[in-house]
Amino acid sequence: MSVQKPSIPQGTRDFGPAVVARRNYIFGVIRRVFEKFGYAPLETPTLENLSVLTGKYGDEGDQLLFKVLNSGNFLKKQKGEVIKEEVTPADLLAGPRAVLPKVAEKGLRYDLTVPFARYVVMNRGTLVFPFKRYQIQPVWRADRPQRGRYREFYQCDADVVGTASLLCEAEIVLMMSEVLTKLGLTEHTIKINHRRVLGAFYQALGGEGTEVDLFTAIDKLDKIGREGVKKELAERGFSAEAIDKLFDLLNVAGSFEEKLERLLAAFVTAGVEPDTAGADGYKGLQDLQQVLSYLRGFGFEQWANLEFDVTLARGLSYYTGCIFEIKINNVNMGSVSGGGRYDNLTGAFGLPGVSGVGFSFGVDRLYDCLEELNLFPEAVNSTSRCLLANFDAESEVAVLPVLARLRAEGLAAELYPESGKLGRQFKYADGKGIPYVLLQGPEERAAGRFKLKTMATGQEQTLTLEEVLAVIRA
Amino acid sequence: MSVQKPSIPQGTRDFGPAVVARRNYIFGVIRRVFEKFGYAPLETPTLENLSVLTGKYGDEGDQLLFKVLNSGNFLKKQKGEVIKEEVTPADLLAGPRAVLPKVAEKGLRYDLTVPFARYVVMNRGTLVFPFKRYQIQPVWRADRPQRGRYREFYQCDADVVGTASLLCEAEIVLMMSEVLTKLGLTEHTIKINHRRVLGAFYQALGGEGTEVDLFTAIDKLDKIGREGVKKELAERGFSAEAIDKLFDLLNVAGSFEEKLERLLAAFVTAGVEPDTAGADGYKGLQDLQQVLSYLRGFGFEQWANLEFDVTLARGLSYYTGCIFEIKINNVNMGSVSGGGRYDNLTGAFGLPGVSGVGFSFGVDRLYDCLEELNLFPEAVNSTSRCLLANFDAESEVAVLPVLARLRAEGLAAELYPESGKLGRQFKYADGKGIPYVLLQGPEERAAGRFKLKTMATGQEQTLTLEEVLAVIRA
């Protein structure tokens, strides 16, 4: 074996003990809230067949899929493998599109939604519907790495499929609110909108341009501002009059309920049609009203954190009903969560007409927010409560029962594995963030006592074992 | 999008809610024990550079690595990528070994040991030594899938590097014992041996054949029996006399301590030399004696579960000191855990002389043992404690505060999202394994009472909310 300087791939990360503990804290909060609302955990394989993944994320997404080489002699047909043909020099000249299907059949999970849809379709005969599942797993994207964007990152999704009930939307608001509150991120805004409200906007403008152009432009409001959006819409064939109308609608002000009333009036004035598939603005307003009623029924109180944001569009995704997004107000960062209702998640796998609604937390962003606001509880770590110093061979043997006792009490504890050099042992405790060091030299042993050093203060106390336990437990 | 019948890759698995809950139970027990002994969590990326992985697992291992295609145009040289040359038709003819380095630079994690070694070397400047880490993550191997062998599976490793103290070996026995006891797997045998004891066996035979041949043959005792091993050794050039001598040694009987004494006498008789690098049998016996002393100091009591098994070899792995393995006695299955001490884990990455010791649990096998012995606690599930039936629109609104109350008490609960059809709602509770269903029809509502149905017995009680809470909490 030749000696090499090791490295990890671009856009990937090692998580050391302190970071793992903090990430697990976030996962734990999210998991407990999901489970309290009746969502059950699902885990799907890292490797999915490319036939499942390809074509689900648009052309750009297909490019960003990590593809895994077939094992063995991936260039040639072989027994038991599904490779149909050998790679030929002609394929090579034709490029990756010709070679790829012959050398790679599997890819890495790109999100948690497509595997979820696949799972539902494969298990539709045995699943109990409505099926409520949450899923906390990493995904991989061959994106160009940059600050805050990784090639391997975790998603935390919760979805329910098989019901159109707006109770689910209301509970999503409750779950979002509870997770953020539990994490101490009290300065947040949960934004809600409805795709049909946006559809009605399009109708209200008089059918100019295309709906996709309109949504795309609105989606950019945050980035390019009002003037930018106006310019873009004008370039895409919307008249000045239509653009003015649009901004009248986007400017609707007031409380959640007042906005609902004002938009209703505006839709009537503009002649927005009811019963239009996917664009019935009245149905959109009714849905939002119903979500509001459910929240009242639940005794929801964080109204200041909930905003009916008519400019929320959630990109060109597959949403068809309510849509959600969370911003942390006191941190300069994109949304930490988003989601919405979709009508045809499983259609691509041959199971049409399954309505569902779901949302996802971005753990990396939540982590950065908690760190920036100094919100990680001090107790969040995975380190021992106490290090037993290893004075000499005799004391080493003498403290073994003490170590056993600490652990029997459920306290994480360790004995420094080599005797001598107390300075190095204190440095070890310090480096690992162990709050207490317990010493028993010959003198203390003779007296049946221990010296306990509190690392944060440097304070040393001479105590009985029971007194030590009381301090360490606290 | 064309409709397709979805599937998952061979050797991979979806884990539904019930299985995830049971797996998490096992992970939780292992994690808590590791942390109680001062081991801290580490997580490394799924993708490693092939330069890190290749050559670490032998030729066969290299074949079993899952390789990931470079992104973008993987056939051609491009900006920002490390591809040195384009794939040529000549490469194609030359086969995978010529093509692979040009199209794939990354692979999937194959075990947790090599990434750990890489991490230690990359972070040696900031880590506090001895460094104790545990790691619970999936690994991938392009093995031929078969019953009980998967292409994606979890490993649970704990290792400490940077100390030669045998305290670590003793604590490994304690951790193994505690995990198995906590899981209810009381009928287990923790086998311990020492590579230097095996090395002394080789010396005692008089230096015939090769040491590797000897270890390989001993390792097969379980599979091919004594006669098989004797035959294999004879074929590999060991004399009948040497083979007899070996079996005298392998037949050593008695308690742990008695075996140590008897082997010591046998080594002296056979003229085994002390101070032989890596093969000093006396040092091996001393180490085991020291582990025994530590265990006594800790008050270890499960002596019937600990066996000094001189036939334990742990294959051709990199171990140099104590080695471990666990068998579950009342389940017909291979070992559920194994490990040992190694002297040069990080040498391949330019950091020689780092001694360490570690072990690993196989979660799939533990799972199968618990299932076969019916040892999963009933409370291990991730399902709601209570389903609130959705009687009609009016009752739906009325029970929302009850649902909020249950959750505020920390109880997982859900309201069936659609009203009507109580039969379907009971079926839902049954399918999800929800133990209680709470109903409030008009009559109960008028009386301020609830009907609580216990699904397991079918019993229905009419109760106040406080009484309901008392039952559900229990």
Side-chain angles (χ1 to χ4, degrees):
Chain A
M1 274 185 247
S2 65
V3 170
Q4 51 186 236
K5 211 178 148 206
S7 63
I8 53 174
Q10 265 201 310
T12 69
R13 294 166 287 174
D14 285 320
F15 297 118
V19 179
V20 172
R22 290 175 160 209
R23 287 169 58 88
N24 284 346
Y25 162 71
I26 298 174
F27 291 138
V29 167
I30 293 173
R31 183 177 290 121
R32 281 190 294 279
V33 171
F34 284 169
E35 293 193 354
K36 223 163 67 174
F37 281 76
Y39 286 77
L42 173 71
E43 292 181 7
T44 64
T46 294
L47 298 169
E48 290 276 355
N49 289 320
L50 282 176
S51 57
V52 164
L53 299 177
T54 310
K56 307 303 186 299
Y57 307 107
D59 278 351
E60 203 200 349
D62 285 352
Q63 292 292 318
L64 299 183
L65 290 171
F66 275 114
K67 287 121 191 154
V68 174
L69 272 178
N70 296 330
S71 47
N73 184 346
F74 57 88
L75 296 173
K76 296 200 173 163
K77 193 151 111 182
Q78 50 197 303
K79 257 200 312 199
E81 296 279 351
V82 199
I83 301 175
K84 275 116 202 153
E85 297 160 81
E86 296 185 10
V87 176
T88 64
D91 292 332
L92 266 193
L93 292 174
R97 272 175 207 270
V99 175
L100 195 59
K102 298 183 175 180
V103 300
E105 288 153 16
K106 293 178 284 291
L108 301 187
R109 189 169 53 224
Y110 182 86
D111 73 355
L112 304 179
T113 307
V114 167
F116 169 55
R118 174 195 55 68
Y119 177 83
V120 168
V121 173
M122 281 177 70
N123 296 278
R124 60 185 158 192
T126 53
L127 288 181
V128 186
F129 289 96
F131 181 57
K132 298 167 86 168
R133 85 86 174 81
Y134 74 87
Q135 194 167 352
I136 300 181
Q137 290 192 283
V139 300
W140 295 267
R141 296 183 185 176
D143 241 325
R144 192 168 293 278
Q146 59 185 55
R147 204 182 96 83
R149 192 199 283 165
Y150 305 99
R151 290 184 153 189
E152 173 174 42
F153 58 96
Y154 268 73
Q155 291 190 330
C156 305
D157 283 25
D159 290 81
V160 47
V161 290
T163 175
S165 168
L166 292 154
L167 180 67
C168 305
E169 275 83 342
E171 292 198 331
I172 284 177
V173 172
L174 293 181
M175 286 190 279
M176 288 176 154
S177 179
E178 186 165 340
V179 165
L180 296 172
T181 305
K182 286 236 159 79
L183 291 175
L185 293 167
T186 44
E187 301 286 309
H188 62 261
T189 304
I190 299 172
K191 295 178 179 188
I192 187 169
N193 196 9
H194 198 292
R195 271 294 171 94
R196 294 195 176 206
V197 168
L198 292 174
F201 284 9
Y202 178 69
Q203 277 189 49
L205 304 196
E208 289 181 6
T210 73
E211 205 175 62
V212 168
D213 283 345
L214 182 70
F215 287 9
T216 311
I218 292 177
D219 203 37
K220 292 184 186 164
L221 255 175
D222 260 5
K223 280 183 202 150
I224 61 177
R226 300 201 158 222
E227 291 315 308
V229 171
K230 283 181 182 175
K231 202 178 142 212
E232 178 159 331
L233 286 172
E235 282 165 6
R236 289 178 185 271
F238 288 84
S239 68
E241 194 195 353
I243 295 172
D244 281 347
K245 237 187 216 170
L246 174 69
F247 277 88
D248 281 349
L249 292 166
L250 292 178
N251 284 334
V252 64
S255 68
F256 200 138
E257 202 122 47
E258 286 164 348
K259 284 182 186 171
L260 286 176
E261 282 164 23
R262 285 166 194 171
L263 283 178
L264 180 59
F267 288 176
V268 173
T269 306
V272 167
E273 290 167 33
D275 304 321
T276 313
D280 180 344
Y282 302 104
K283 167 84 166 91
L285 298 177
Q286 275 164 25
D287 281 1
L288 290 167
Q289 180 65 59
Q290 179 63 42
V291 172
L292 211 56
S293 302
Y294 277 126
L295 288 173
R296 287 211 189 91
F298 275 115
F300 179 73
E301 286 172 348
Q302 284 79 47
W303 297 107
N305 298 111
L306 181 64
E307 185 192 347
F308 173 19
D309 178 358
V310 297
T311 71
L312 179 66
R314 298 284 305 151
L316 291 178
S317 44
Y318 41 78
Y319 298 120
T320 51
C322 286
I323 48 182
F324 307 93
E325 207 168 274
I326 304 180
K327 285 274 296 178
I328 305 302
N329 305 335
N330 49 348
V331 178
N332 181 18
M333 189 179 287
S335 62
V336 296
S337 175
R341 179 170 288 276
Y342 38 79
D343 274 344
N344 196 21
L345 185 70
T346 55
F349 300 119
L351 187 63
V354 175
S355 183
V357 59
F359 73 114
S360 182
F361 282 109
V363 171
D364 290 302
R365 287 188 172 177
L366 285 175
Y367 187 100
D368 291 346
C369 288
L370 293 187
E371 191 149 80
E372 186 169 331
L373 299 172
N374 207 12
L375 287 174
F376 282 110
E378 259 198 57
V380 170
N381 60 54
S382 53
T383 209
S384 298
R385 288 292 291 165
C386 183
L387 175 73
L388 277 66
N390 201 329
F391 216 75
D392 52 26
E394 205 181 335
S395 93
E396 185 187 75
V397 175
V399 298
L400 291 180
V402 176
L403 183 51
R405 172 75 192 280
L406 287 171
R407 289 172 179 161
E409 302 265 342
L411 294 163
E414 52 189 302
L415 169 61
Y416 193 81
E418 284 159 22
S419 61
K421 289 188 190 152
L422 281 184
R424 185 195 276 181
Q425 300 188 33
F426 282 116
K427 217 174 137 191
Y428 175 83
D430 203 45
K432 277 189 83 171
I434 300 175
Y436 298 101
V437 177
L438 193 69
L439 294 105
Q440 193 182 45
E443 210 175 303
E444 290 88 10
R445 192 156 64 253
R449 292 286 187 281
F450 297 86
K451 208 173 262 178
L452 185 70
K453 179 166 177 173
T454 307
M455 294 298 288
T457 61
Q459 185 201 22
E460 284 187 8
Q461 300 166 270
T462 302
L463 304 170
T464 65
L465 180 56
E466 297 308 317
E467 290 167 340
V468 166
L469 284 168
V471 173
I472 294 177
R473 263 194 226 108
Chain B
M1 277 187 246
S2 65
V3 171
Q4 50 184 238
K5 211 179 148 200
S7 63
I8 54 174
Q10 266 200 310
T12 69
R13 294 165 288 173
D14 286 319
F15 297 118
V19 178
V20 172
R22 290 174 159 210
R23 287 169 60 88
N24 285 345
Y25 162 72
I26 296 174
F27 291 137
V29 167
I30 293 172
R31 182 175 292 122
R32 280 189 294 277
V33 171
F34 285 169
E35 293 193 354
K36 221 162 70 174
F37 281 76
Y39 287 76
L42 173 71
E43 292 181 8
T44 63
T46 295
L47 298 169
E48 290 275 356
N49 289 321
L50 281 175
S51 57
V52 164
L53 299 178
T54 309
K56 307 303 186 299
Y57 307 106
D59 278 351
E60 202 200 348
D62 285 352
Q63 291 292 319
L64 299 184
L65 289 171
F66 275 113
K67 288 123 190 152
V68 174
L69 273 178
N70 295 331
S71 46
N73 186 347
F74 57 88
L75 296 174
K76 296 203 172 160
K77 193 151 111 180
Q78 51 197 303
K79 258 199 311 197
E81 297 276 351
V82 199
I83 302 175
K84 276 118 202 151
E85 298 160 83
E86 296 185 11
V87 176
T88 65
D91 293 332
L92 266 193
L93 291 173
R97 270 174 209 272
V99 175
L100 194 58
K102 298 186 175 180
V103 300
E105 288 152 15
K106 292 179 284 291
L108 301 188
R109 188 169 54 225
Y110 182 86
D111 72 355
L112 303 179
T113 308
V114 167
F116 169 55
R118 175 197 53 70
Y119 177 83
V120 168
V121 173
M122 282 178 68
N123 296 278
R124 59 186 159 192
T126 53
L127 288 182
V128 187
F129 289 96
F131 180 57
K132 298 166 86 168
R133 84 87 175 79
Y134 75 86
Q135 194 168 351
I136 300 181
Q137 290 192 283
V139 301
W140 294 267
R141 295 182 186 177
D143 241 328
R144 192 169 293 277
Q146 58 185 54
R147 205 182 95 81
R149 192 199 284 165
Y150 303 100
R151 291 186 150 186
E152 172 174 43
F153 57 97
Y154 268 72
Q155 290 190 330
C156 304
D157 283 25
D159 289 80
V160 48
V161 291
T163 175
S165 168
L166 292 155
L167 180 67
C168 307
E169 275 83 343
E171 292 197 335
I172 284 179
V173 173
L174 294 182
M175 286 191 278
M176 287 176 155
S177 180
E178 185 165 340
V179 165
L180 295 172
T181 305
K182 285 239 159 80
L183 291 176
L185 294 166
T186 45
E187 301 285 310
H188 62 261
T189 303
I190 299 173
K191 296 179 177 186
I192 186 168
N193 195 11
H194 199 292
R195 271 294 170 94
R196 294 194 176 207
V197 169
L198 292 175
F201 284 9
Y202 179 69
Q203 276 189 50
L205 305 196
E208 291 182 5
T210 74
E211 204 176 65
V212 168
D213 282 346
L214 183 70
F215 287 9
T216 310
I218 292 178
D219 203 39
K220 292 185 187 163
L221 256 175
D222 260 6
K223 281 185 201 147
I224 62 177
R226 300 201 156 221
E227 291 316 307
V229 171
K230 283 181 183 175
K231 202 177 142 215
E232 177 158 333
L233 286 171
E235 282 165 6
R236 289 176 185 274
F238 288 84
S239 68
E241 194 196 352
I243 294 173
D244 282 347
K245 236 188 219 167
L246 173 69
F247 277 87
D248 281 349
L249 292 166
L250 291 179
N251 284 334
V252 65
S255 68
F256 199 138
E257 203 120 50
E258 285 164 348
K259 284 182 184 171
L260 287 175
E261 282 164 21
R262 287 165 192 170
L263 284 179
L264 179 60
F267 288 176
V268 172
T269 307
V272 168
E273 289 167 32
D275 304 323
T276 315
D280 181 344
Y282 304 104
K283 166 83 168 96
L285 298 177
Q286 275 164 26
D287 280 2
L288 290 167
Q289 181 66 58
Q290 180 62 42
V291 171
L292 213 54
S293 303
Y294 277 126
L295 287 173
R296 286 209 190 93
F298 275 115
F300 178 74
E301 288 173 344
Q302 284 79 47
W303 297 107
N305 298 111
L306 181 65
E307 184 192 348
F308 173 19
D309 178 358
V310 297
T311 71
L312 179 66
R314 298 285 304 153
L316 291 177
S317 45
Y318 41 79
Y319 298 120
T320 52
C322 287
I323 47 181
F324 308 92
E325 207 168 273
I326 304 179
K327 285 273 298 179
I328 305 302
N329 305 335
N330 49 349
V331 178
N332 181 19
M333 189 181 289
S335 63
V336 297
S337 175
R341 180 170 288 277
Y342 39 78
D343 273 345
N344 196 19
L345 185 71
T346 56
F349 300 118
L351 187 64
V354 175
S355 182
V357 58
F359 73 114
S360 181
F361 283 110
V363 171
D364 290 303
R365 286 187 172 176
L366 285 175
Y367 187 101
D368 290 346
C369 289
L370 294 187
E371 192 150 79
E372 186 169 330
L373 300 171
N374 208 12
L375 287 175
F376 282 110
E378 258 197 60
V380 170
N381 60 56
S382 54
T383 208
S384 299
R385 290 290 293 164
C386 183
L387 174 72
L388 277 66
N390 201 329
F391 216 75
D392 52 27
E394 205 180 335
S395 93
E396 183 187 78
V397 175
V399 298
L400 291 180
V402 177
L403 183 52
R405 171 75 192 279
L406 287 170
R407 288 172 179 162
E409 302 265 341
L411 295 164
E414 51 190 301
L415 169 61
Y416 193 81
E418 284 158 24
S419 60
K421 289 186 190 151
L422 282 184
R424 185 196 275 181
Q425 301 188 32
F426 282 116
K427 216 173 138 190
Y428 175 84
D430 203 45
K432 277 189 82 170
I434 300 176
Y436 298 101
V437 176
L438 194 67
L439 293 106
Q440 194 182 46
E443 211 176 301
E444 289 88 11
R445 192 156 62 254
R449 292 286 186 284
F450 297 86
K451 208 174 261 179
L452 184 70
K453 179 166 178 171
T454 306
M455 294 299 288
T457 60
Q459 187 201 22
E460 284 189 10
Q461 300 166 272
T462 302
L463 304 170
T464 65
L465 180 56
E466 297 309 317
E467 290 166 340
V468 166
L469 283 168
V471 173
I472 293 176
R473 264 195 224 108

